[in-house]
Short mmCIF file of all heavy atoms in Angstrom, two decimals:
data_model
loop_
_atom_site.label_atom_id
_atom_site.label_comp_id
_atom_site.label_asym_id
_atom_site.label_seq_id
_atom_site.Cartn_x
_atom_site.Cartn_y
_atom_site.Cartn_z
N ARG A 108 7.31 9.22 -2.82
CA ARG A 108 6.24 8.91 -1.86
C ARG A 108 4.94 8.55 -2.56
O ARG A 108 4.26 7.60 -2.17
CB ARG A 108 6.03 10.10 -0.93
CG ARG A 108 4.94 9.89 0.08
CD ARG A 108 4.85 11.06 1.05
NE ARG A 108 3.54 11.08 1.67
CZ ARG A 108 2.84 12.15 1.91
NH1 ARG A 108 3.33 13.34 1.62
NH2 ARG A 108 1.66 12.08 2.47
N PHE A 109 4.58 9.28 -3.59
CA PHE A 109 3.28 9.09 -4.23
C PHE A 109 3.30 8.23 -5.49
O PHE A 109 2.28 7.65 -5.84
CB PHE A 109 2.65 10.45 -4.58
CG PHE A 109 2.12 11.18 -3.40
CD1 PHE A 109 2.88 12.15 -2.77
CD2 PHE A 109 0.85 10.91 -2.91
CE1 PHE A 109 2.39 12.84 -1.67
CE2 PHE A 109 0.36 11.58 -1.81
CZ PHE A 109 1.13 12.55 -1.19
N MET A 110 4.42 8.20 -6.19
CA MET A 110 4.41 7.57 -7.51
C MET A 110 5.18 6.25 -7.54
O MET A 110 4.57 5.21 -7.67
CB MET A 110 4.97 8.54 -8.55
CG MET A 110 4.19 9.85 -8.66
SD MET A 110 2.46 9.66 -9.15
CE MET A 110 2.66 9.24 -10.86
N MET A 111 6.47 6.31 -7.46
CA MET A 111 7.29 5.11 -7.57
C MET A 111 8.26 5.08 -6.39
O MET A 111 8.78 6.12 -6.00
CB MET A 111 8.10 5.12 -8.88
CG MET A 111 7.26 5.23 -10.14
SD MET A 111 6.09 3.87 -10.42
CE MET A 111 7.17 2.49 -10.66
N PRO A 112 8.52 3.91 -5.83
CA PRO A 112 9.40 3.86 -4.65
C PRO A 112 10.88 4.06 -4.97
O PRO A 112 11.67 4.32 -4.07
CB PRO A 112 9.14 2.46 -4.08
CG PRO A 112 8.69 1.66 -5.26
CD PRO A 112 7.94 2.61 -6.15
N GLU A 113 11.25 3.93 -6.24
CA GLU A 113 12.65 4.10 -6.65
C GLU A 113 12.72 5.09 -7.81
O GLU A 113 11.82 5.11 -8.66
CB GLU A 113 13.24 2.77 -7.10
CG GLU A 113 13.26 1.69 -6.02
CD GLU A 113 14.18 2.01 -4.87
OE1 GLU A 113 15.20 2.70 -5.10
OE2 GLU A 113 13.91 1.57 -3.75
N PRO A 114 13.78 5.89 -7.90
CA PRO A 114 13.87 6.85 -8.99
C PRO A 114 14.22 6.21 -10.34
O PRO A 114 13.90 6.74 -11.38
CB PRO A 114 14.95 7.81 -8.54
CG PRO A 114 15.79 7.02 -7.59
CD PRO A 114 14.86 6.04 -6.93
N PHE A 115 14.90 5.05 -10.31
CA PHE A 115 15.16 4.30 -11.54
C PHE A 115 14.96 2.82 -11.23
O PHE A 115 15.20 2.37 -10.12
CB PHE A 115 16.54 4.61 -12.14
CG PHE A 115 17.72 4.24 -11.29
CD1 PHE A 115 18.39 3.03 -11.47
CD2 PHE A 115 18.21 5.12 -10.33
CE1 PHE A 115 19.49 2.70 -10.70
CE2 PHE A 115 19.32 4.81 -9.56
CZ PHE A 115 19.96 3.59 -9.75
N TYR A 116 14.48 2.09 -12.24
CA TYR A 116 14.06 0.70 -12.00
C TYR A 116 13.88 -0.01 -13.34
O TYR A 116 13.95 0.61 -14.41
CB TYR A 116 12.74 0.68 -11.21
CG TYR A 116 11.63 1.48 -11.86
CD1 TYR A 116 10.75 0.88 -12.75
CD2 TYR A 116 11.50 2.85 -11.62
CE1 TYR A 116 9.75 1.63 -13.36
CE2 TYR A 116 10.51 3.59 -12.23
CZ TYR A 116 9.64 2.98 -13.10
OH TYR A 116 8.66 3.70 -13.72
N ARG A 117 13.59 -1.30 -13.27
CA ARG A 117 13.32 -2.09 -14.46
C ARG A 117 12.09 -2.95 -14.25
O ARG A 117 11.72 -3.26 -13.12
CB ARG A 117 14.50 -2.96 -14.82
CG ARG A 117 14.70 -4.12 -13.86
CD ARG A 117 15.60 -5.19 -14.45
NE ARG A 117 16.06 -6.08 -13.42
CZ ARG A 117 15.34 -7.07 -12.90
NH1 ARG A 117 14.11 -7.28 -13.30
NH2 ARG A 117 15.84 -7.84 -11.98
N PHE A 118 11.49 -3.35 -15.36
CA PHE A 118 10.41 -4.34 -15.32
C PHE A 118 10.33 -4.96 -16.71
O PHE A 118 10.89 -4.45 -17.67
CB PHE A 118 9.08 -3.71 -14.89
CG PHE A 118 8.51 -2.70 -15.84
CD1 PHE A 118 7.53 -3.06 -16.77
CD2 PHE A 118 8.94 -1.38 -15.82
CE1 PHE A 118 7.01 -2.13 -17.65
CE2 PHE A 118 8.41 -0.44 -16.69
CZ PHE A 118 7.44 -0.82 -17.60
N GLU A 119 9.65 -6.09 -16.78
CA GLU A 119 9.53 -6.81 -18.04
C GLU A 119 8.07 -7.05 -18.37
O GLU A 119 7.25 -7.28 -17.49
CB GLU A 119 10.26 -8.14 -17.96
CG GLU A 119 11.75 -7.99 -17.79
CD GLU A 119 12.50 -9.31 -17.62
OE1 GLU A 119 11.86 -10.38 -17.71
OE2 GLU A 119 13.72 -9.25 -17.41
N VAL A 120 7.79 -6.98 -19.66
CA VAL A 120 6.49 -7.34 -20.20
C VAL A 120 6.77 -8.11 -21.48
O VAL A 120 7.39 -7.57 -22.40
CB VAL A 120 5.61 -6.11 -20.50
CG1 VAL A 120 4.31 -6.53 -21.17
CG2 VAL A 120 5.32 -5.31 -19.24
N GLY A 121 6.34 -9.35 -21.52
CA GLY A 121 6.56 -10.17 -22.71
C GLY A 121 8.04 -10.27 -23.04
O GLY A 121 8.86 -10.57 -22.19
N SER A 122 8.37 -9.95 -24.27
CA SER A 122 9.76 -10.07 -24.72
C SER A 122 10.55 -8.76 -24.59
O SER A 122 11.57 -8.58 -25.23
CB SER A 122 9.80 -10.57 -26.17
OG SER A 122 9.11 -9.67 -27.01
N TYR A 123 10.06 -7.85 -23.73
CA TYR A 123 10.69 -6.54 -23.57
C TYR A 123 11.12 -6.31 -22.13
O TYR A 123 10.42 -6.66 -21.18
CB TYR A 123 9.74 -5.41 -24.00
CG TYR A 123 9.31 -5.56 -25.43
CD1 TYR A 123 8.13 -6.21 -25.76
CD2 TYR A 123 10.12 -5.08 -26.45
CE1 TYR A 123 7.76 -6.38 -27.09
CE2 TYR A 123 9.75 -5.23 -27.77
CZ TYR A 123 8.57 -5.88 -28.09
OH TYR A 123 8.20 -6.04 -29.39
N ARG A 124 12.28 -5.67 -21.99
CA ARG A 124 12.76 -5.22 -20.68
C ARG A 124 12.77 -3.70 -20.72
O ARG A 124 13.42 -3.09 -21.57
CB ARG A 124 14.16 -5.75 -20.41
CG ARG A 124 14.74 -5.20 -19.10
CD ARG A 124 16.00 -5.90 -18.75
NE ARG A 124 15.60 -7.04 -17.95
CZ ARG A 124 16.33 -7.56 -16.97
NH1 ARG A 124 17.52 -7.06 -16.72
NH2 ARG A 124 15.90 -8.57 -16.28
N PHE A 125 12.01 -3.11 -19.82
CA PHE A 125 11.88 -1.66 -19.73
C PHE A 125 12.80 -1.16 -18.61
O PHE A 125 12.77 -1.69 -17.50
CB PHE A 125 10.44 -1.26 -19.42
CG PHE A 125 9.48 -1.64 -20.51
CD1 PHE A 125 8.90 -2.90 -20.56
CD2 PHE A 125 9.16 -0.72 -21.51
CE1 PHE A 125 8.02 -3.25 -21.56
CE2 PHE A 125 8.29 -1.06 -22.53
CZ PHE A 125 7.71 -2.33 -22.56
N LEU A 126 13.59 -0.15 -18.92
CA LEU A 126 14.51 0.45 -17.96
C LEU A 126 14.14 1.92 -17.81
O LEU A 126 14.29 2.70 -18.75
CB LEU A 126 15.95 0.28 -18.44
CG LEU A 126 16.34 -1.18 -18.71
CD1 LEU A 126 17.57 -1.26 -19.56
CD2 LEU A 126 16.51 -1.93 -17.40
N ALA A 127 13.61 2.25 -16.66
CA ALA A 127 13.16 3.62 -16.38
C ALA A 127 14.30 4.37 -15.70
O ALA A 127 14.81 3.94 -14.68
CB ALA A 127 11.92 3.59 -15.49
N LEU A 128 14.69 5.49 -16.29
CA LEU A 128 15.82 6.27 -15.79
C LEU A 128 15.36 7.57 -15.15
O LEU A 128 14.28 8.08 -15.44
CB LEU A 128 16.78 6.57 -16.95
CG LEU A 128 17.34 5.35 -17.68
CD1 LEU A 128 18.20 5.79 -18.86
CD2 LEU A 128 18.14 4.47 -16.73
N ASP A 129 16.21 8.09 -14.30
CA ASP A 129 15.96 9.34 -13.60
C ASP A 129 16.94 10.38 -14.15
O ASP A 129 18.15 10.28 -13.93
CB ASP A 129 16.17 9.13 -12.10
CG ASP A 129 16.11 10.42 -11.30
OD1 ASP A 129 15.66 11.46 -11.83
OD2 ASP A 129 16.50 10.39 -10.12
N ALA A 130 16.43 11.37 -14.87
CA ALA A 130 17.27 12.38 -15.52
C ALA A 130 17.60 13.56 -14.62
O ALA A 130 18.09 14.58 -15.10
CB ALA A 130 16.58 12.87 -16.79
N PHE A 131 17.35 13.44 -13.30
CA PHE A 131 17.52 14.60 -12.42
C PHE A 131 18.38 14.26 -11.20
O PHE A 131 17.96 14.42 -10.06
CB PHE A 131 16.15 15.15 -12.00
CG PHE A 131 15.35 15.56 -13.18
CD1 PHE A 131 14.42 14.71 -13.75
CD2 PHE A 131 15.57 16.79 -13.79
CE1 PHE A 131 13.71 15.07 -14.87
CE2 PHE A 131 14.87 17.16 -14.91
CZ PHE A 131 13.94 16.30 -15.46
N VAL A 132 19.59 13.83 -11.45
CA VAL A 132 20.49 13.41 -10.38
C VAL A 132 20.76 14.55 -9.40
O VAL A 132 20.93 14.32 -8.20
CB VAL A 132 21.80 12.82 -10.95
CG1 VAL A 132 22.58 13.87 -11.72
CG2 VAL A 132 22.64 12.22 -9.86
N SER A 133 20.75 15.78 -9.87
CA SER A 133 21.10 16.91 -9.00
C SER A 133 19.90 17.52 -8.29
O SER A 133 20.05 18.49 -7.56
CB SER A 133 21.81 18.00 -9.82
OG SER A 133 20.89 18.60 -10.71
N ASP A 134 18.69 16.96 -8.52
CA ASP A 134 17.46 17.53 -7.96
C ASP A 134 17.21 18.95 -8.44
O ASP A 134 16.46 19.69 -7.83
CB ASP A 134 17.45 17.50 -6.42
CG ASP A 134 17.20 16.12 -5.86
OD1 ASP A 134 16.53 15.31 -6.53
OD2 ASP A 134 17.67 15.85 -4.74
N ASP A 135 17.84 19.33 -9.55
CA ASP A 135 17.62 20.65 -10.15
C ASP A 135 16.78 20.45 -11.41
O ASP A 135 17.24 19.80 -12.36
CB ASP A 135 18.96 21.29 -10.49
CG ASP A 135 18.82 22.71 -11.04
OD1 ASP A 135 17.70 23.09 -11.49
OD2 ASP A 135 19.82 23.43 -11.04
N PRO A 136 15.57 21.00 -11.45
CA PRO A 136 14.72 20.78 -12.62
C PRO A 136 15.26 21.38 -13.92
O PRO A 136 14.76 21.07 -14.99
CB PRO A 136 13.39 21.44 -12.22
CG PRO A 136 13.71 22.38 -11.13
CD PRO A 136 14.93 21.84 -10.44
N LYS A 137 16.30 22.19 -13.84
CA LYS A 137 16.87 22.79 -15.04
C LYS A 137 18.06 22.01 -15.59
O LYS A 137 18.60 22.37 -16.64
CB LYS A 137 17.28 24.23 -14.75
CG LYS A 137 16.10 25.12 -14.42
CD LYS A 137 16.55 26.51 -14.07
CE LYS A 137 15.33 27.33 -13.67
NZ LYS A 137 15.67 28.60 -13.09
N VAL A 138 18.48 20.96 -14.86
CA VAL A 138 19.69 20.22 -15.25
C VAL A 138 19.33 18.75 -15.49
O VAL A 138 18.96 18.04 -14.56
CB VAL A 138 20.77 20.32 -14.15
CG1 VAL A 138 22.00 19.50 -14.53
CG2 VAL A 138 21.15 21.77 -13.90
N PHE A 139 19.46 18.32 -16.75
CA PHE A 139 19.25 16.93 -17.10
C PHE A 139 20.57 16.17 -17.02
O PHE A 139 21.52 16.54 -17.70
CB PHE A 139 18.71 16.79 -18.53
CG PHE A 139 17.35 17.38 -18.75
CD1 PHE A 139 17.15 18.32 -19.74
CD2 PHE A 139 16.26 16.98 -18.01
CE1 PHE A 139 15.89 18.86 -19.99
CE2 PHE A 139 14.99 17.51 -18.24
CZ PHE A 139 14.81 18.45 -19.23
N ASP A 140 20.61 15.13 -16.22
CA ASP A 140 21.78 14.24 -16.15
C ASP A 140 21.40 13.01 -15.35
O ASP A 140 20.54 13.10 -14.47
CB ASP A 140 22.97 14.94 -15.50
CG ASP A 140 24.29 14.64 -16.19
OD1 ASP A 140 24.33 13.73 -17.07
OD2 ASP A 140 25.29 15.29 -15.87
N ILE A 141 21.99 11.90 -15.69
CA ILE A 141 21.74 10.68 -14.91
C ILE A 141 22.96 10.38 -14.05
O ILE A 141 24.07 10.75 -14.37
CB ILE A 141 21.32 9.48 -15.78
CG1 ILE A 141 22.40 9.06 -16.74
CG2 ILE A 141 20.03 9.78 -16.52
CD1 ILE A 141 22.07 7.79 -17.50
N SER A 142 22.72 9.69 -12.96
CA SER A 142 23.75 9.44 -11.96
C SER A 142 24.75 8.38 -12.40
O SER A 142 24.47 7.55 -13.27
CB SER A 142 23.10 8.99 -10.65
OG SER A 142 22.48 7.73 -10.83
N SER A 143 25.90 8.40 -11.77
CA SER A 143 26.90 7.35 -12.01
C SER A 143 26.35 6.00 -11.58
O SER A 143 26.69 4.98 -12.19
CB SER A 143 28.21 7.69 -11.31
OG SER A 143 28.01 7.82 -9.91
N ASP A 144 25.50 5.97 -10.55
CA ASP A 144 24.86 4.71 -10.14
C ASP A 144 24.04 4.12 -11.29
O ASP A 144 24.07 2.91 -11.53
CB ASP A 144 23.94 4.91 -8.93
CG ASP A 144 24.69 5.16 -7.64
OD1 ASP A 144 25.92 4.93 -7.60
OD2 ASP A 144 24.05 5.58 -6.67
N GLN A 145 23.31 4.98 -11.99
CA GLN A 145 22.53 4.49 -13.12
C GLN A 145 23.43 4.03 -14.26
O GLN A 145 23.16 3.02 -14.91
CB GLN A 145 21.58 5.59 -13.62
CG GLN A 145 20.44 5.86 -12.67
CD GLN A 145 19.56 6.98 -13.17
OE1 GLN A 145 18.63 6.74 -13.92
NE2 GLN A 145 19.87 8.20 -12.77
#
Side-chain angles (χ1 to χ4, degrees):
R108 179 175 159 220
F109 285 96
M110 301 298 288
M111 303 299 295
E113 299 294 330
F115 63 96
Y116 55 91
R117 71 163 165 79
F118 66 97
E119 295 176 4
V120 175
S122 60
Y123 301 94
R124 175 171 271 212
F125 296 86
L126 304 162
L128 302 176
D129 173 13
F131 301 96
V132 64
S133 69
D134 285 332
D135 183 342
K137 295 177 183 169
V138 178
F139 295 125
D140 221 350
I141 63 173
S142 66
S143 59
D144 288 346
Q145 289 178 88

